[in-house]
Amino acid sequence: MAIKVKFKDKNDDFYKKIVELSGEQVALCDQCGTCSGGCPFIEEMDINPSEIMRKVMLGQKEVMDSRTMWICASCFTCTVRCPRELDVSKVSEALRQVKLRTAIDEISIADISKEEAKKLPTIAVVGNFRKFTG
Amino acid sequence: MKTGIFLCECGGNISNTIDLENVKEHLNDEDEKVIVKIHGNMCSGAGQKLLIDEAKKHGLDKIVVSACSPHFHEKTFRGAMKKAGLNPYNLEIANLREHCSWIHKDIPKVATEKAKEIVDAAKAKAELDYALEEKMMKLGNEVLVIGGGIAGIQTSLDLADSGKNVTLIEKQPTLGGKMAILTKTFPTEDCAACIISPKMAAVIDHPNITLHTNTEIQDIAGHRLHFEAKVIKHPRYIKDSINMDQCLICNKCREVCPVSQPNYWEQGIMNREAIYIPAPHAIPYKYLIDAETCLHFVDGSCNKCAEVCPQNVIDFGQKAEELNIAVDAVVVATGFDIFDAKRKPVFGYGKYENVVTSLEMERIVDHIVEKDPPRKVGKRVAFVQCVGSRDKQIGNEYCSRVCCMYSIKLASLLKQAKPEIDIYIFYTDIRAFGKGYEEYYKRSQEMGIKFIRGKPSHFTEVKETKQVILTVEDTLSRDIIETEFDLVVLANGLELSKSSDIVADSLKLAKSDDGFFKEAHPKYKPVDTLVEGVFLSGTAQGPKDIPDTVAQASAAAARVMATLAQKEFALDPVLAFVNSDICDGCEKCLDNCPPKAISMNNEGKAEINEALCLGCGSCITSCPLEAIDLNYYTNKQIYAEIEASLHLKKENEKRILVFADNNTTYRLIDACGVRKMKYTNYARVLRVPSVSRISPNLIEFAFAKGADAVFLGDSPAKGSHFEWANKTTQNNIKTVLNKFKKLKIDSDRLIFSQFTAADLMKFINEINQVAEKIDKLKSIPEDIKKQLFPKEK
Ligand SMILES: Cc1cc2nc3c(=O)[nH]c(=O)nc-3n(C[C@H](O)[C@H](O)[C@H](O)COP(=O)(O)OP(=O)(O)OC[C@H]3O[C@@H](n4cnc5c(N)ncnc54)[C@H](O)[C@@H]3O)c2cc1C
Ligand code: SF4
Ligand code: SF4
Ligand code: SF4
Ligand code: SF4
């Protein structure tokens, strides 16, 4: 079912925030889809990286509800292939920052069991906290 | 000698800031041999009349107009000079408006003092001006067209029809360029060979066209409607004659030739022998031997063709011929190369056998209806758009314009021939811009060709089947598609042909950011170049389809006709000359003139060819004896200008002497004035054709006379009228800086900077920085100045 989207006055603020945080001119995205076609985690995502670019470009804040930015592994496949040389993974990173700066953690440390924590390599734990917690 | 000085108020633009009465007093004080007049608007009819009347009344022979930039009214006042019976080159303009009153509005007193020096400098130079004659050069009827693709063919035919004598040079052994490789053409689907053949034949038959195929440009010297080209005509190894003993095209030679090589005109999908005719529609329709693969040349093991030839026309001893061609105009029609997809390995081209280029596909489709086609295509074919175009990664950000349409064409032709084949076109945008193109696109959709909006990201080969799997997002449905294809066709973009470089280098033609040849103006001079007498035709200027190529080719021909119709043209007399009394024939200057205008005459003295000299002045420093000089900007004049620009300097004052090249930096400084952008009042700006003309002696003299800094501004080599000049400037600077080192003078005092027309802020920032720096430095001591310029002038 299609939803109706309204362009709001504040749309630009969200767009500018992401541009500032990522350092990428998201509006330059050509919507060619190269990033999505190459993404190794695409099957886990609810919307494609190129769709993230599209929504950010139009300032649609709803993009924050998507899981894609949390799935993104920062593997840079998209980044090295984008014909407009946009760093797509940085955009995901910027979206995560926006969320985490509201001090909402994506994972809870308390939820990890002792056994699980033992099995995980330290670097993975640190990396995960860096990526998922505010 | 009497000099008339006319101080223009410019309706207050000058006089509201500068006290012209005060300037007038200063001038009269200095010299009784001058007449000074103030007028409201010198450029008006009344102002010009004043100049003419005063000149006649007082018998003036030199004129200074102090007004706006020479780029506004130099022409106007030169006209008035003529009316007054004076030589137009006995005129100097003191630029008080752009370089003084507009930028120093808030410091009128300082501006008035600066104005005195500006007018003094103009006066000093005017007194040394001398009459210069604009020589009239005859124009002939000879035109060189480089490149025999459809562009070069069309230009040649139009020119020949209008009575011009055309020499057409084509590197390949046949005319036609890429069009000779195409199957049918969009959107009409008429066969390329059928529509280009009559044109190629017309070239051969035309009495006004001399065609040289298999011929390459080695060098072209000249500019300004006088060029000399050196070309090398490679041997075909077949005797050429109009008599009965010529080749009969009996094909016996080909039948015995043991060599088998990919044929370029079949894009390698079919082979040819070492002795071959390029294509069935080749013009000239003649055999040639490819010496690189012919066994006679490779190892001497074969002689078969010569043995069977009934006419005995095979001549392995034939030599390359060198030809010199003198012409009045040159048309560059050197065309394009398709993007080499190996430069982006992700496409798998060259690695996967079922990934082909668009040109290969042209040949594949051309043969597809044959019973046993040389290359089969399978059941499922994908076209991948924007290969090597619109891609920042490989540095081609432009759209190649034709590849959407040719993919639609190739897909349509394939579908019509083999309806059972599934065809997909993966695109980012479909650009169907031309007449009938959108309709053609629609028809292809009706045929069942599927268009998917997405750029394939992965290309992988299935080892067993050699199929190619594409992974791509359908950006409209957001589905990720992963499907195998029997054939993947790359829509290679267009780049300027590599063989154009020799032409670019020898004619000093500029290229635009996309790498194609740059036109003189993107809107009003789309086929002219910045080199007078050189024009662009076809895809050498940018990607184009055939209709646009032909239109532009005819436009180039028309521009040549209009140019040559002048019959003669006036040569700007601002050119270098040699003082033969001083020249000792050392030949040091010869290599320092890239337009090759300097040669040695029979008396062993250097001589400047006026038709070739561009008046940059770069040669001047190469002469150890100062024997070379430049009209209107002589050494004497510049010494005088420097001295006058500094002669009112007081103890606590500072001066930056700015030498600005006439084409870019001077105009840029004007533009700062027009925008009333303030900058340091230390600056005194002197105009030169290129700052390479400012020899180390002149720079040292400026410091000796009190300059605290010297600022040289020129345009960057790329796109400059004098591409070579900056090298000379850098050498000149090196010489001075070496001296600075010995004398312990701060190297910050000498600046060389390069500007484009838009660098206004850059200029302002840099000149202000220099001012700040010299404020901090102590003045150069008198004895050091003396050592810097010991000669008494
Ligand atoms: C795959 C493909 C399909 C196409 N299909 C169509 C179509 O269906 N319809 C359409 O309108 N357009 C089509 N085009 C575009 C069309 O090919 C061009 O518009 C046209 O060929 C341009 O002609 P040109 O003379 O400018 O360049 P070229 O055809 O490249 O000719 C340049 C010539 O200059 C010669 N040359 C280069 N350097 C030198 C030198 N230094 N000295 C001497 N000679 C030199 C070259 O050998 C060549 O013969 C297609 C292009 C491609 C790549
Ligand atoms: S690859 Fe680049 S241009 Fe293409 S859709 Fe992704 S971000 Fe946009
Ligand atoms: S001599 Fe050369 S061209 Fe002639 S048949 Fe032998 S290989 Fe072929
Ligand atoms: S014409 Fe089409 S395929 Fe070619 S570069 Fe432009 S958009 Fe891409
Ligand atoms: S460098 Fe000077 S002296 Fe030597 S040949 Fe040239 S003009 Fe004559």
Side-chain angles (χ1 to χ4, degrees):
Chain A
M1 197 180 56
I3 50 158
K4 282 186 185 165
V5 177
K6 273 217 169 92
F7 290 130
K8 303 181 198 97
D9 296 342
K10 290 271 179 231
N11 283 8
D12 255 12
D13 294 348
F14 176 65
Y15 171 69
K16 280 182 196 147
K17 181 93 208 157
I18 300 300
V19 170
E20 187 198 313
L21 287 175
S22 65
E24 295 300 303
Q25 295 295 320
V26 180
L28 290 183
C29 166
D30 227 358
Q31 283 295 297
C32 69
T34 308
C35 47
S36 306
C39 178
F41 300 97
I42 195 80
E43 276 159 299
E44 316 301 323
M45 292 173 175
D46 52 352
I47 65 176
N48 298 349
S50 53
E51 217 171 339
I52 295 271
M53 297 295 277
R54 180 73 189 152
K55 291 198 190 278
V56 170
M57 191 190 305
L58 296 175
Q60 292 177 13
K61 248 189 179 152
E62 297 75 4
V63 70
M64 297 295 301
D65 301 335
S66 145
R67 298 294 306 158
T68 296
M69 59 190 178
W70 304 109
I71 306 292
C72 167
S74 295
C75 72
F76 301 122
T77 311
C78 49
T79 301
V80 297
R81 291 200 182 160
C82 172
R84 291 234 161 155
E85 291 193 338
L86 295 169
D87 192 334
V88 190
S89 55
K90 267 204 189 137
V91 176
S92 285
E93 168 94 14
L95 291 170
R96 291 197 296 266
Q97 276 180 38
V98 168
K99 189 72 168 234
L100 296 174
R101 278 180 188 184
T102 60
I104 298 172
D105 295 345
E106 267 300 305
I107 54 167
S108 153
I109 304 170
D111 287 354
I112 304 175
S113 68
K114 277 234 161 77
E115 297 77 71
E116 258 182 318
K118 255 186 206 155
K119 268 189 269 162
L120 286 169
T122 334
I123 186 81
V125 179
V126 174
N128 267 281
F129 288 156
R130 198 188 106 19
K131 179 173 169 186
F132 293 113
T133 58
Chain B
M1 182 173 63
K2 216 162 193 176
T3 307
I5 305 181
F6 297 87
L7 305 175
C8 178
E9 294 173 340
C10 191
N13 278 311
I14 295 172
S15 54
N16 287 351
T17 306
I18 295 165
D19 180 353
L20 289 179
E21 286 297 340
N22 189 334
V23 176
K24 182 176 171 184
E25 247 166 64
H26 159 80
L27 288 163
N28 276 337
D29 262 8
E30 291 253 304
D31 201 338
E32 326 77 65
K33 282 185 300 199
V34 297
I35 302 288
V36 189
K37 294 280 163 194
I38 299 180
H39 191 271
N41 284 92
M42 278 305 294
C43 59
S44 67
Q48 293 180 53
K49 187 164 178 301
L50 176 75
L51 188 156
I52 297 166
D53 291 349
E54 292 293 311
K56 287 186 178 157
K57 193 162 111 198
H58 301 284
L60 302 176
D61 32 20
K62 303 291 165 60
I63 302 287
V64 174
V65 180
S66 118
C68 52
S69 166
H71 285 290
F72 287 102
H73 282 305
E74 191 169 52
K75 259 202 183 135
T76 315
F77 297 124
R78 280 193 177 154
M81 296 286 286
K82 281 187 199 161
K83 284 187 197 144
L86 292 173
N87 184 282
Y89 291 87
N90 282 332
L91 168 80
E92 292 299 325
I93 310 273
N95 185 348
L96 286 200
R97 194 180 70 181
E98 278 76 2
H99 292 187
C100 192
S101 69
W102 270 348
I103 53 168
H104 301 317
K105 257 184 153 75
D106 46 350
I107 40 171
K109 280 221 171 73
V110 177
T112 302
E113 290 309 303
K114 175 170 168 179
K116 288 177 189 168
E117 274 182 349
I118 296 179
V119 180
D120 283 344
K123 180 174 148 243
K125 179 162 186 260
E127 282 165 355
L128 295 166
D129 273 337
Y130 46 88
L132 291 171
E133 296 309 325
E134 292 179 345
K135 247 194 210 159
M136 297 312 283
M137 302 293 286
K138 286 251 170 308
L139 281 177
N141 245 346
E142 306 296 319
V143 187
L144 174 67
V145 178
I146 308 170
I150 184 60
I153 292 174
Q154 185 64 40
T155 302
S156 299
L157 289 173
D158 283 357
L159 283 170
D161 284 347
S162 80
K164 302 282 170 269
N165 296 325
V166 178
T167 306
L168 173 57
I169 302 291
E170 170 55 54
K171 196 172 103 226
Q172 300 280 9
T174 173
L175 283 174
K178 305 302 173 301
M179 208 181 146
I181 299 170
L182 306 184
T183 169
K184 292 175 174 158
T185 56
F186 62 75
T188 43
E189 293 187 357
D190 31 18
C191 128
C194 319
I195 58 175
I196 199 173
S197 295
K199 283 206 181 272
M200 301 201 287
V203 167
I204 285 253
D205 293 340
H206 209 298
N208 294 345
I209 301 181
T210 311
L211 170 67
H212 297 290
T213 51
N214 220 13
T215 302
E216 274 180 286
I217 297 285
Q218 288 215 295
D219 190 23
I220 311 173
H223 63 87
R224 264 198 211 148
L225 311 171
H226 177 78
F227 304 88
E228 275 168 39
K230 224 188 245 156
V231 307
I232 179 149
K233 191 168 181 157
H234 298 296
R236 294 180 89 98
Y237 303 105
I238 312 289
K239 276 187 220 146
D240 208 3
S241 138
I242 35 168
N243 297 330
M244 286 303 287
D245 57 353
Q246 64 186 330
C247 167
L248 303 171
I249 321 273
C250 68
N251 303 331
K252 290 202 170 98
C253 52
R254 202 191 68 202
E255 284 153 18
V256 296
C257 179
V259 174
S260 183
Q261 277 291 318
N263 185 357
Y264 170 76
W265 283 269
E266 291 289 354
Q267 287 292 295
I269 70 160
M270 280 162 81
N271 280 3
R272 59 155 172 83
E273 290 73 21
I275 186 162
Y276 72 110
I277 296 177
H281 51 288
I283 295 279
Y285 192 69
K286 282 181 182 168
Y287 269 101
L288 78 151
I289 293 176
D290 168 21
E292 279 183 16
T293 53
C294 162
L295 299 176
H296 181 91
F297 292 99
V298 172
D299 56 13
S301 67
C302 179
N303 209 19
K304 290 198 176 106
C305 54
E307 282 158 17
V308 298
C309 176
Q311 296 293 96
N312 245 329
V313 289
I314 293 173
D315 175 7
F316 293 117
Q318 224 174 46
K319 289 275 165 305
E321 230 182 302
E322 228 185 69
L323 307 170
N324 290 312
I325 303 164
V327 294
D328 305 284
V330 177
V331 179
V332 179
T334 48
F336 69 95
D337 288 340
I338 58 168
F339 169 73
D340 177 6
K342 285 186 192 142
R343 264 164 54 202
K344 189 151 178 171
V346 71
F347 296 121
Y349 181 68
K351 206 164 57 185
Y352 306 156
E353 66 186 54
N354 285 318
V355 176
V356 298
T357 69
S358 51
L359 271 183
E360 285 163 2
M361 192 61 180
E362 290 281 340
R363 298 317 305 153
I364 294 171
V365 169
D366 204 61
H367 291 287
I368 201 72
V369 286
E370 288 167 14
K371 237 197 179 146
D372 186 21
R375 181 77 150 87
K376 302 199 176 61
V377 298
K379 297 239 151 6
R380 203 201 285 273
V381 176
F383 288 82
V384 174
Q385 298 308 107
C386 302
V387 171
S389 313
R390 306 176 64 189
D391 189 343
K392 202 172 169 189
Q393 291 192 335
I394 46 107
N396 291 348
E397 292 196 58
Y398 55 90
C399 162
S400 291
R401 295 180 89 229
V402 295
C403 14
C404 277
M405 290 312 297
Y406 73 53
S407 290
I408 293 173
K409 168 190 79 178
L410 290 167
S412 301
L413 294 172
L414 188 60
K415 192 80 184 165
Q416 288 165 58
K418 306 257 166 190
E420 69 280 7
I421 297 180
D422 258 346
I423 304 175
Y424 292 83
I425 296 185
F426 295 95
Y427 68 100
T428 305
D429 298 285
I430 288 293
R431 299 202 162 153
F433 58 95
K435 195 168 176 168
Y437 290 9
E438 178 66 18
E439 295 88 324
Y440 189 61
Y441 170 33
K442 191 177 150 213
R443 258 178 284 145
S444 74
Q445 288 173 311
E446 277 164 8
M447 273 178 214
I449 292 161
K450 295 177 194 84
F451 288 81
I452 295 184
R453 193 186 176 290
K455 197 170 164 126
S457 192
H458 276 322
F459 291 64
T460 37
E461 190 180 56
V462 186
K463 282 261 144 30
E464 308 75 50
T465 59
K466 299 288 176 200
Q467 285 175 312
V468 179
I469 300 175
L470 299 186
T471 317
V472 50
E473 177 190 33
D474 174 355
T475 60
L476 299 179
S477 71
R478 299 295 177 185
D479 294 334
I480 304 293
I481 298 168
E482 200 174 67
T483 308
E484 63 286 344
F485 290 93
D486 300 309
L487 187 69
V488 172
V489 185
L490 304 179
N492 310 65
L494 277 53
E495 295 180 329
L496 177 66
S497 65
K498 292 196 184 53
S499 44
S500 299
D501 284 349
I502 176 82
V503 181
D505 292 346
S506 47
L507 283 172
K508 311 263 175 290
L509 293 179
K511 292 179 185 168
S512 28
D513 289 340
D514 59 9
F516 288 88
F517 282 118
K518 188 177 181 162
E519 59 279 21
H521 188 282
K523 293 189 180 62
Y524 302 127
K525 291 185 172 177
V527 298
D528 290 43
T529 65
L530 290 171
V531 180
E532 218 176 325
V534 178
F535 301 88
L536 302 174
S537 169
T539 47
Q541 180 263 346
K544 276 176 203 65
D545 55 6
I546 296 164
D548 283 1
T549 298
V550 171
Q552 209 215 16
S554 289
R559 287 290 301 131
V560 173
M561 289 176 218
T563 307
L564 298 187
Q566 299 166 49
K567 300 276 186 243
E568 54 178 16
F569 70 102
L571 205 59
D572 185 350
V574 179
L575 303 171
F577 62 93
V578 178
N579 270 316
S580 48
D581 296 342
I582 307 177
C583 170
D584 68 358
C586 71
E587 302 195 354
K588 286 201 176 102
C589 51
L590 292 188
D591 290 337
N592 283 288
C593 175
K596 303 183 190 91
I598 313 179
S599 58
M600 305 306 289
N601 65 16
N602 5 354
E603 277 143 51
K605 308 259 180 177
E607 199 173 61
I608 309 275
N609 180 341
E610 294 184 337
L612 293 181
C613 173
L614 280 166
C616 65
S618 287
C619 52
I620 291 173
T621 31
S622 65
C623 175
L625 303 175
E626 286 195 336
I628 311 184
D629 214 334
L630 189 63
N631 278 334
Y632 201 62
Y633 297 96
T634 62
N635 281 323
K636 266 195 182 152
Q637 286 183 302
I638 295 177
Y639 280 119
E641 264 187 303
I642 293 174
E643 200 158 5
S645 299
L646 301 164
H647 78 134
L648 298 178
K649 186 184 171 195
K650 297 202 188 75
E651 192 65 39
N652 53 347
E653 288 180 355
K654 305 271 179 187
R655 294 280 187 281
I656 306 170
L657 214 51
V658 181
F659 290 100
D661 81 293
N662 185 35
N663 286 318
T664 311
T665 316
Y666 195 88
R667 285 172 196 266
L668 174 85
I669 299 174
D670 281 357
C672 295
V674 169
R675 281 174 217 184
K676 321 267 183 336
M677 293 160 88
K678 289 177 197 152
Y679 55 87
T680 172
N681 60 60
Y682 298 171
R684 300 288 181 273
V685 182
L686 300 179
R687 178 164 75 131
V688 284
S690 137
V691 294
S692 63
R693 190 256 164 274
I694 301 302
S695 54
N697 278 342
L698 288 165
I699 300 175
E700 288 154 13
F701 180 73
F703 284 105
K705 287 293 164 187
D708 299 280
V710 170
F711 188 107
L712 306 171
D714 218 316
S715 56
K718 197 181 156 210
S720 159
H721 290 242
F722 315 125
E723 217 180 280
W724 52 88
N726 289 347
K727 255 195 210 139
T728 310
T729 307
Q730 261 136 8
N731 282 338
N732 292 346
I733 287 186
K734 229 188 261 159
T735 312
V736 179
L737 287 181
N738 277 340
K739 241 187 185 174
F740 272 22
K741 215 171 179 182
K742 278 187 212 133
L743 297 174
K744 302 215 164 46
I745 301 175
D746 204 300
S747 63
D748 283 347
R749 291 182 187 272
L750 180 55
I751 300 93
F752 172 41
S753 193
Q754 298 173 25
F755 300 97
T756 66
D759 286 338
L760 275 64
M761 273 325 291
K762 178 175 179 230
F763 171 74
I764 301 234
N765 290 338
E766 289 183 4
I767 197 85
N768 284 339
Q769 273 166 18
V770 178
E772 272 169 41
K773 265 189 199 144
I774 55 176
D775 272 337
K776 287 186 199 128
L777 294 172
K778 272 202 217 104
S779 314
I780 307 173
E782 286 306 318
D783 61 314
I784 299 282
K785 283 188 199 168
K786 279 233 172 66
Q787 289 182 51
L788 193 58
F789 196 83
K791 289 158 252 183
E792 206 30 67
K793 209 191 52 71

